[in-house]
Amino acid sequence: LATALSAKIQAFLARPSLQDYRKVEELAKEQWSTIKVELLTNLRTQTSSTAHKAKVDIFLNEGLIDEAIEVVADFSSYDSSSIHQVMEAAIPHRPDWVIENACKRAESIVAQSKADAYHLAIEWLRKARAAYLQSNRESEWSIYCDSLIKTHSRKRKFMELLKPLT
């Protein structure tokens, strides 16, 4: 058992993943609280691109929303799955971050008139809308939508996609 635990810890340290993290937790039993601190400390120092996914998964698993936000804050929209994952978890805890981040990403797509990417803008706006509604700010969402409609009324494809969210 000690050998298996040691091997899993080494595997985690070499290439962190939520799967290995959970396996270490399972094997560690009463030692978990001590080992957990060590694993999280090590994880925070990891900088590889593969560690980013593990950081997001593990921080969200541990309810460390702010740390997960920190990981994805500067990600480009090409890393959207991790960002969406963090936004989903952050809606109840950090709705302002979700709104600001999602709207900025959506507006960037729409401003560039990238019609083939409008569906991506809508996905960002869905997150923003959920955060507005979660924080009882439906009127602010309506005002924001009105401003989008005013600014982009000639972009028919975007208007059609936006309609269900208004």
Side-chain angles (χ1 to χ4, degrees):
L1 190 67
T3 309
L5 175 59
S6 179
K8 270 299 167 196
I9 290 171
Q10 291 309 310
F12 179 86
L13 297 176
R15 188 177 176 104
S17 72
L18 179 59
Q19 183 180 353
D20 282 344
Y21 184 81
R22 287 184 173 154
K23 190 65 179 171
V24 171
E25 179 180 13
E26 182 185 308
L27 294 170
K29 304 201 185 318
E30 58 277 338
Q31 296 174 274
W32 175 239
S33 59
T34 305
I35 293 172
K36 175 181 163 178
V37 170
E38 292 172 22
L39 295 183
L40 289 173
T41 300
N42 177 274
L43 184 62
R44 289 179 182 106
T45 67
Q46 296 272 344
T47 56
S48 71
S49 57
T50 55
H52 291 316
K53 173 86 174 110
K55 284 181 178 185
V56 167
D57 291 344
I58 293 166
F59 291 156
L60 292 179
N61 181 69
E62 290 295 338
L64 302 169
I65 306 296
D66 288 336
E67 290 193 57
I69 287 172
E70 218 174 279
V71 173
V72 301
D74 297 325
F75 277 17
S76 76
S77 294
Y78 296 109
D79 296 309
S80 65
S81 65
S82 291
I83 301 166
H84 280 292
Q85 183 184 357
V86 172
M87 283 186 179
E88 200 62 47
I91 288 170
H93 309 283
R94 293 279 304 282
D96 290 339
W97 174 81
V98 175
I99 291 165
E100 181 185 330
N101 201 292
C103 290
K104 178 179 74 179
R105 291 172 188 281
E107 289 167 18
S108 172
I109 294 167
V110 180
Q112 295 173 45
S113 299
K114 293 184 175 181
D116 60 334
Y118 286 163
H119 67 285
L120 300 173
I122 295 300
E123 288 306 311
W124 294 120
L125 292 174
R126 282 188 215 288
K127 294 290 188 272
R129 179 179 183 269
Y132 272 115
L133 298 180
Q134 172 77 33
S135 54
N136 297 315
R137 294 155 55 191
E138 197 166 338
S139 62
E140 284 181 52
W141 170 249
S142 295
I143 292 165
Y144 178 68
C145 278
D146 289 345
S147 75
L148 287 175
I149 291 167
K150 258 186 205 152
T151 307
H152 303 289
S153 61
R154 292 178 176 231
K155 297 173 181 166
R156 289 192 191 128
K157 184 176 179 180
F158 178 67
M159 289 295 107
E160 284 301 311
L161 293 171
L162 181 63
K163 198 177 288 181
L165 297 181
T166 57

